[in-house]
Amino acid sequence: MPTDPVLLDNLTLEQSSVVANNAMNRGRGLSGVNSYARELGFDPYEMLAERLRTDPTAEVTWIDVCCGSGRALLEAEQRFDREFPTADVRIIGLDLVDFFLNKPRTPRLRLLTTSATIWTPPREADLVTCVHGLHYIGDKLALIEAMTSWLVPHGLFAADFDPAEIRRANGSPVAEAVAESLRAAGLTYDRRRIHGHGRPRFTATYLGADPTAGPGYTGQPSVASYYDW
């Protein structure tokens, strides 16, 4: 007879082998076959570069949560340095594990080893991304709320997301209610991706997370998050 999962709080969860790993999001570059552009459906650099082409005096900020090795951000730093050497650009990458490919070359890029669940940004962002990171987060809904709150008005949020990883207290799925909350906030959920400018508020109380839930749609281990909805 199946037993109820043991639910972990965020601190304990982040110390588990499923979450504190060095294999997640390690090889993705900015563009190409295995890239952010492919996963997100647009090129983050080109999106921000277009704003600078329109207004060279603009402040541009990109925050990437669960950035892995930071390869895509390091590539973006290099391109901004080459194509917009005097522009006010800030790129911030967050990851729980210090496994970055290289150190930043300029002050424009910061690669931080920290939990996204407790971090606050130094300024609002034009773009906030999370490529296959939410699979490893405990309170996924709170982090979605937080990440969308970091945006400037009409800033863009884009993240991979599997609503099947959200469960009610009894383990039953709650995917449709999650999708409805996203739609009500003006966000879209399509092709396993959240995309848009809205700021959702979820009417749910986080209960804890199960890192033994098994693989998600990526085939990699993921975390099931439980809520009193």
Side-chain angles (χ1 to χ4, degrees):
M1 183 174 180
T3 59
D4 293 335
V6 176
L7 301 183
L8 307 183
D9 59 38
N10 281 339
L11 181 60
T12 307
L13 177 71
E14 289 173 354
Q15 296 170 348
S16 71
S17 59
V18 170
V19 175
N21 70 84
N22 65 4
M24 185 270 295
N25 200 20
R26 296 302 159 195
R28 286 189 185 88
L30 195 58
S31 59
V33 176
N34 182 27
S35 68
Y36 274 44
R38 183 180 179 90
E39 286 295 332
L40 297 174
F42 67 94
D43 186 324
Y45 174 83
E46 284 301 326
M47 174 198 154
L48 298 173
E50 184 58 33
R51 183 177 177 198
L52 290 172
R53 293 181 189 116
T54 304
D55 180 6
T57 66
E59 297 179 354
V60 169
T61 300
W62 173 18
I63 299 172
D64 186 39
V65 177
C66 302
C67 68
S69 69
R71 178 183 169 189
L73 308 187
L74 288 159
E75 292 177 2
E77 175 195 34
Q78 203 166 26
R79 290 190 63 184
F80 278 118
D81 192 44
R82 182 172 65 249
E83 298 177 33
F84 301 95
T86 63
D88 186 350
V89 175
R90 184 172 299 185
I91 307 170
I92 303 172
L94 311 177
D95 201 84
L96 193 62
V97 180
D98 183 359
F99 203 71
F100 303 125
L101 187 64
N102 281 308
K103 292 182 179 180
R105 300 173 57 213
T106 71
R108 287 175 158 182
L109 174 60
R110 297 175 64 198
L111 297 175
L112 306 177
T113 305
T114 187
S115 170
T117 63
I118 61 172
W119 183 79
T120 55
R123 70 185 190 188
E124 293 180 320
D126 302 270
L127 175 65
V128 176
T129 56
C130 185
V131 176
H132 290 301
L134 282 167
H135 309 309
Y136 302 94
I137 299 297
D139 193 350
K140 305 179 202 301
L141 302 185
L143 185 56
I144 291 171
E145 289 182 348
M147 289 189 291
T148 54
S149 76
W150 299 344
L151 293 167
V152 298
H154 305 296
L156 180 64
F157 173 63
D160 295 292
F161 180 57
D162 184 1
E165 295 169 351
I166 307 296
R167 313 275 176 85
R168 297 183 190 273
N170 62 6
S172 63
V174 68
E176 184 51 43
V178 174
E180 179 56 36
S181 294
L182 295 173
R183 287 192 293 266
L187 293 163
T188 61
Y189 178 72
D190 181 49
R191 300 181 185 274
R192 295 173 171 167
R193 183 189 305 131
I194 305 173
H195 186 271
H197 310 282
R199 301 188 179 189
R201 292 295 178 264
F202 298 100
T203 57
T205 301
Y206 179 59
L207 301 175
D210 175 17
T212 68
Y217 68 71
T218 64
Q220 299 298 317
S222 65
V223 172
S225 304
Y226 285 72
Y227 293 84
D228 184 5
W229 197 283

